[in-house]
C-alpha cells in the first residue's frame, strides 16, 4: 500500500511517492539542466559523462513508470510529476539517431496520456507553468507540442479551468504568444488552437480581442528584406491567422462580427506569402461550410459585402 489512508489504521510509513519522485528528479538533473537533449555514450571516462549516461538509463525506466501512471486523476505527488513536463517536451521532438526512437516514442506517449489526465483546480497553475517554460524552447518542435498538449488538457478539464479566471487569461496569453512565433508551423497550430477555444467559448470573442488581432494584421511590412521586415511579416501574419481563427470558429452560422472580419481578410489577399495562402484557405473553408445554407446566410451581409465575397469566392473560370 503506497500513500493510502485507510480508516482506523495508522498512515503508511513508507514508501511515499512524493519522496521517491524527488529522489528521481535529483538524479535526472544532468538532463534537466541541459538546453537540449543529446544521446550520451561512453566516449570519455569522465564523471560527468557517467552521470549523464546513468540519467538516460534512469529516464527510460521513469518513462515506463509514467506511462503506467499517467492519464489517471492526479494524486498527492502531482507537483513532482509535473516537474518532468519540461524534460518530456525536450525529448519528444528530438531528432538525433535511431537509438533514441524508443525514448522519443515513450515521451510522446507520456505527454499524450498526461494531457488527458483529470486535474484538480490546484494543479492547473502547475501545468501552465510547465507549458509557459517550454514556450521559450529553442526547438520549434517542442513549442508545437505545447499547443497540442494545451488543446487536449483544456478540453479534458474544460469546466475546471473555466472556474479559474486567472488561468483562463494565462491560456489566452500563451496562445497569443505562440501565434507570434517565428516558426510558421507553430503559428498555424496556434491558429487552430485559438479557433477551437473560441468555438467552445473558452475565450470570449470580445471587442478587445478583435482590436488586438486587427492591430497585428495592419502591421506595415517594409519592402526591404531583412530581420526587421521578417519580424513585421510575422506580426502581420499572426494578426491574419487570428482573424482566420475567428472565422473558422463559427463554421455553420454568421455572427454579427463575421462580415466585417471577412472584409478585413479580403484586404490581405495580395499580401506576401504565407499570408496570401492563409487568406485563401480561410475563404475556401468559409465557402465550404456555409454553402448549404447560403441563402439564409447572405441576409447577414450588405450588398457591397456580397459583391466583394462574390468576387473572392467564385472562380473566374466557373463560367468558362
Amino acid at each position: 500500500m503506497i500513500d493510502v489512508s485507510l480508516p482506523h489504521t495508522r498512515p503508511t510509513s513508507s514508501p511515499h511517492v512524493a519522496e521517491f519522485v524527488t529522489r528521481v528528479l535529483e538524479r535526472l538533473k544532468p538532463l534537466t539542466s541541459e538546453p537540449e537533449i543529446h544521446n550520451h555514450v561512453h566516449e570519455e571516462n569522465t564523471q560527468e559523462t557517467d552521470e549523464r549516461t546513468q540519467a538516460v538509463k534512469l529516464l527510460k525506466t521513469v518513462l515506463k513508470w509514467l506511462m503506467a501512471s499517467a492519464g489517471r486523476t492526479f494524486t498527492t505527488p502531482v507537483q513532482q510529476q509535473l516537474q518532468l513536463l519540461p524534460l518530456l517536451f525536450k525529448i519528444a521532438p528530438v531528432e538525433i539517431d535511431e537509438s533514441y526512437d524508443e525514448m522519443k516514442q515513450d515521451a510522446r506517449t507520456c505527454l499524450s496520456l498526461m494531457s488527458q489526465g483529470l486535474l484538480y483546480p490546484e494543479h492547473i497553475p502547475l501545468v501552465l507553468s510547465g507549458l509557459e517554460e517550454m514556450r521559450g524552447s529553442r526547438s520549434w518542435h517542442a513549442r508545437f507540442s505545447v499547443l497540442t498538449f494545451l488543446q487536449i488538457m483544456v478540453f479534458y478539464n474544460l469546466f475546471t479551468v473555466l472556474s479559474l479566471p486567472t488561468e483562463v487569461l494565462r491560456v489566452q496569453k500563451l496562445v497569443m504568444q505562440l501565434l507570434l512565433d517565428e516558426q510558421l508551423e507553430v503559428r498555424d497550430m496556434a491558429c487552430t488552437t485559438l479557433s477551437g477555444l473560441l468555438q467552445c467559448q473558452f475565450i470570449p470573442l470580445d471587442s478587445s480581442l478583435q482590436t488586438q488581432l486587427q492591430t497585428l494584421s495592419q502591421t506595415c511590412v517594409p519592402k526591404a528584406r531583412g530581420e526587421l521586415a521578417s519580424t513585421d511579416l510575422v506580426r502581420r501574419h499572426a494578426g491574419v491567422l487570428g482573424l482566420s481563427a475567428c472565422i473558422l470558429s463559427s463554421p455553420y452560422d454568421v455572427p454579427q462580427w463575421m462580415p466585417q472580419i471577412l472584409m478585413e481578410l479580403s484586404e490581405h489577399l495580395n499580401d506576401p506569402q504565407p499570408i496570401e495562402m492563409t487568406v485563401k484557405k480561410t475563404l475556401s473553408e468559409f465557402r465550404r461550410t456555409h454553402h448549404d445554407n447560403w441563402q439564409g446566410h447572405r441576409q447577414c451581409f450588405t450588398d457591397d459585402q456580397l459583391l466583394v465575397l462574390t468576387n473572392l469566392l467564385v472562380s473566374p473560370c466557373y463560367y468558362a
Side-chain angles (χ1 to χ4, degrees):
M1 306 293 284
I2 302 177
D3 290 345
V4 176
S5 298
L6 299 176
H8 310 297
T9 62
R10 294 181 180 181
T12 53
S13 57
S14 67
H16 293 294
V17 178
E19 296 175 0
F20 169 73
V21 176
T22 300
R23 293 199 302 270
V24 169
L25 287 171
E26 184 66 26
R27 295 175 60 183
L28 290 176
K29 275 188 176 180
L31 297 180
T32 57
S33 60
E34 292 181 355
E36 302 293 339
I37 299 297
H38 299 283
N39 193 16
H40 298 286
V41 295
H42 286 287
E43 295 178 350
E44 299 179 1
N45 188 18
T46 63
Q47 181 179 0
E48 182 182 358
T49 303
D50 184 65
E51 288 179 353
R52 290 196 297 261
T53 303
Q54 293 301 320
V56 169
K57 292 180 179 179
L58 176 61
L59 181 58
K60 292 180 180 179
T61 302
V62 169
L63 290 174
K64 301 296 185 182
W65 163 61
L66 280 177
M67 285 191 291
S69 60
R72 307 172 186 172
T73 302
F74 284 126
T75 53
T76 305
V78 63
Q79 292 84 349
Q80 288 79 10
Q81 290 189 37
L82 292 177
Q83 290 179 39
L84 289 167
L85 268 181
L87 182 57
L88 295 178
F89 277 116
K90 288 180 182 179
I91 298 170
V94 74
E95 296 181 0
I96 304 177
D97 54 47
E98 294 181 359
S99 62
Y100 241 62
D101 286 346
E102 181 181 357
M103 186 178 293
K104 289 190 296 183
Q105 185 57 48
D106 287 349
R108 294 188 185 115
T109 302
C110 287
L111 286 174
S112 177
L113 291 173
M114 292 180 74
S115 66
Q116 300 173 43
L118 299 179
L119 300 172
Y120 296 121
E122 60 269 23
H123 300 153
I124 302 298
L126 299 173
V127 176
L128 291 180
S129 295
L131 298 181
E132 289 168 346
E133 179 182 347
M134 289 314 300
R135 182 189 64 82
S137 172
R138 293 186 298 178
S139 168
W140 72 263
H141 295 280
R143 302 194 299 272
F144 185 94
S145 298
V146 166
L147 288 163
T148 58
F149 185 98
L150 182 66
Q151 289 179 27
I152 301 173
M153 186 273 290
V154 167
F155 291 129
Y156 266 79
N157 300 275
L158 184 62
F159 298 108
T160 304
V161 184
L162 282 173
S163 67
L164 306 169
T166 303
E167 308 312 316
V168 173
L169 293 177
R170 289 179 67 183
V171 172
Q172 179 175 347
K173 181 180 178 181
L174 179 59
V175 174
M176 293 301 296
Q177 288 172 335
L178 290 170
L179 195 65
L180 288 160
D181 195 90
E182 61 182 11
Q183 189 70 29
L184 175 61
E185 289 83 353
V186 178
R187 296 200 300 273
D188 284 339
M189 179 55 68
C191 173
T192 302
T193 304
L194 178 60
S195 176
L197 296 177
L198 289 171
Q199 187 169 2
C200 68
Q201 299 183 353
F202 179 88
I203 296 177
L205 185 52
D206 51 21
S207 58
S208 175
L209 179 59
Q210 291 184 46
T211 301
Q212 182 181 0
L213 296 174
Q214 290 165 355
T215 301
L216 286 173
S217 68
Q218 294 168 4
T219 303
C220 294
V221 180
K223 294 182 179 180
R225 298 181 180 180
E227 183 177 352
L228 179 60
S230 176
T231 301
D232 291 333
L233 181 63
V234 167
R235 291 180 58 83
R236 189 177 179 92
H237 187 215
V240 171
L241 283 171
L243 295 176
S244 298
C246 296
I247 299 298
L248 300 176
S249 68
S250 298
Y252 302 112
D253 60 347
V254 180
Q256 185 178 1
W257 47 262
M258 183 175 286
Q260 182 57 37
I261 290 183
L262 281 170
M263 295 301 103
E264 292 174 3
L265 276 179
S266 67
E267 297 174 0
H268 297 278
L269 194 56
N270 296 318
D271 280 8
Q273 297 292 3
I275 299 177
E276 179 186 354
M277 183 59 65
T278 297
V279 175
K280 286 183 176 180
K281 286 182 178 179
T282 303
L283 293 175
S284 176
E285 184 66 13
F286 170 81
R287 179 182 182 182
R288 184 186 69 83
T289 56
H290 291 78
H291 175 74
D292 290 344
N293 297 316
W294 181 241
Q295 293 304 318
H297 294 325
R298 64 180 297 146
Q299 305 301 322
C300 302
F301 297 86
T302 64
D303 292 340
D304 291 339
Q305 291 172 341
L306 283 174
L307 180 61
V308 172
L309 279 180
T310 300
N311 293 332
L312 292 174
L313 301 179
V314 178
S315 173
C317 63
Y318 181 80
Y319 298 101

